[in-house]
Amino acid sequence: MSWFDESRLDDERALRGADLRLRTLAESGARVRREAGDAAEALAQVVALTQDQARPRAVIAAGPDSRLLRAVLEPWCPVPFVAWPGQALPGWVGSLDLVVVLAPDGGDAGSASAVAEAVRRGCQVVVACPPSSIVAEHAAGRWTAILPTTTQDQLATAVVMLTYLHEIELGPSAPPEEVAEALDAVATACSPHRDLAVNPAKMLAIALADANPLVWGGSVLAARAARRVAESIRRASGRSALAGDAEHLLPVIEAARPRDVFDDPFSDDGGELRPLLVVLDDGAEDPVVRQHRARLLAAADERGVRVEHVTSEAGCEVARYASLLLSGRYAAEYLRLGLVEV
């Protein structure tokens, strides 16, 4: 059994106990800058070499982190784009194609296998990984380039690769400094030194404490952020947290017992955890997104389900994704901090 002590969110002693995790979150922007700076020289060389080559027939993002690239590139890439998280590559991939791989820690055997197969098939290969790693060792080849990374941060590594793809006109703009500034803004707003009355992450953690969270994002990137935030909440609390499309979350909201203002909070069933709808809003105004948002909010209003909004006004879509994700992770850490075993 556990209960939530919100006083711990402003307690210096309790915050010191969570300092390492909170500091890691606060340094997110610095890691993006570091990776961009460390890879700048190699990036310029790879872009210069690419300019002498024909546009690839297709882009294949291989490895377990390929889905983040898909969320960014699929609506934009001017050539066919495929995310392939498995160890092997599609059978049709060959020398006319570009294979890109994110390997932040460089030790993933599946990524190493995919890179080795791409090299064997004569593909153009660009890998973002630590230079001294098994993935880098498997990447040795005539048409292979390595963008060096050092922080093992997935988002920072992805920003380096997205910068490369933008430079060769295969992806949207994702300026590292813009992403870093968005992360810094969240770190400032959600700092442990800010009182809970003006700290959006602490306030969200309080709302999550007595609820079963349902996390929704309308755009492709916001939906990905929702899944990652729900995962962070589950890890922090050991409780259920769902993320999904509107049609997946609507039945849960509609099944909630309508809230009765005359309910006794101290009755035997007063401890029931009700759904809480967390909307991650990155400003997407696609008609389908608006329709799904309206249906969710209408259902929540009808059943008396509380709604919390997490928004971002950062410039590019990757910066907005990073902002939403970091806001949710801060809330999950404050939730972890406030939960006390009894």
Side-chain angles (χ1 to χ4, degrees):
M1 294 279 301
S2 63
W3 65 287
F4 188 80
D5 182 2
E6 68 180 61
S7 68
R8 288 173 56 83
L9 304 188
D10 285 335
D11 182 84
E12 292 186 5
R13 181 177 299 178
L15 287 168
R16 280 198 297 271
D19 181 70
L20 179 59
R21 292 190 297 270
L22 293 172
R23 187 181 299 273
T24 299
L25 295 179
E27 293 173 348
S28 298
R31 289 194 294 274
V32 171
R33 291 188 179 91
R34 179 179 175 183
E35 294 289 26
D38 290 350
E41 184 177 350
L43 182 64
Q45 293 175 354
V46 177
V47 171
L49 290 174
T50 304
Q51 289 176 345
D52 297 330
Q53 301 173 0
R55 173 174 283 181
R57 176 181 60 178
V59 177
I60 300 89
D65 290 329
S66 60
R67 293 186 179 91
L68 175 56
L69 294 180
R70 178 177 63 188
V72 179
L73 292 169
E74 213 167 33
W76 201 98
C77 189
V79 300
F81 178 87
V82 177
W84 202 262
Q87 296 187 11
L89 295 176
W92 52 265
V93 174
S95 59
L96 299 178
D97 304 308
L98 168 63
V99 176
V100 297
V101 181
L102 301 182
D105 64 8
D108 179 65
S111 297
S113 175
V115 168
E117 185 174 350
V119 171
R120 180 179 59 81
R121 296 191 193 184
C123 304
Q124 180 187 350
V125 182
V126 179
V127 186
C129 68
S132 300
S133 64
I134 64 168
V135 173
E137 291 176 7
H138 284 74
R142 181 181 179 184
W143 307 110
T144 302
I146 294 177
L147 301 177
T149 65
T150 55
T151 66
Q152 300 186 7
D153 185 293
Q154 185 207 44
L155 177 61
T157 303
V159 169
V160 169
M161 184 63 75
L162 289 169
T163 301
Y164 162 70
L165 291 169
H166 174 66
E167 290 290 332
I168 63 172
E169 300 181 352
L170 292 178
S173 175
E177 184 58 31
E178 193 169 308
V179 177
E181 288 177 357
L183 292 168
D184 288 347
V186 173
T188 299
C190 302
S191 167
H193 305 296
R194 294 195 74 193
D195 182 85
L196 64 85
V198 292
N199 190 314
K202 291 181 180 180
M203 293 299 294
L204 179 56
I206 294 172
L208 293 169
D210 60 352
N212 283 323
L214 307 174
V215 192
W216 177 80
S219 70
V220 175
L221 275 173
R224 178 175 175 81
R227 292 191 293 272
R228 300 297 298 275
V229 169
E231 178 184 330
S232 296
I233 293 171
R234 291 193 295 268
R235 288 180 175 176
S237 65
R239 300 176 179 177
S240 64
L242 300 178
D245 297 333
E247 60 264 29
H248 300 144
L249 300 182
L250 274 170
V252 182
I253 296 174
E254 293 168 347
R257 180 176 62 86
R259 184 182 293 278
D260 189 338
V261 295
F262 299 106
D263 280 348
D264 180 1
F266 301 103
S267 65
D268 292 339
D269 60 354
E272 175 192 5
L273 296 180
R274 291 181 54 77
L276 168 72
L277 178 61
V278 181
V279 176
L280 302 187
D281 186 357
D282 63 355
E285 286 301 323
D286 180 271
V288 175
V289 173
R290 289 201 304 268
Q291 180 188 40
H292 288 174
R293 184 192 299 118
R295 291 177 62 196
L296 286 167
L297 295 180
D301 181 65
E302 180 182 351
R303 309 303 288 186
V305 171
R306 183 173 176 178
V307 180
E308 293 287 338
H309 294 267
V310 180
T311 62
S312 173
E313 298 180 356
C316 70
E317 59 179 357
V318 176
R320 292 193 292 273
Y321 162 80
S323 176
L324 295 175
L325 178 58
L326 187 60
S327 297
R329 283 179 165 170
Y330 262 107
E333 287 303 328
Y334 287 131
L335 176 62
R336 185 201 304 269
L337 178 64
L339 289 173
V340 180
E341 296 294 329
V342 294

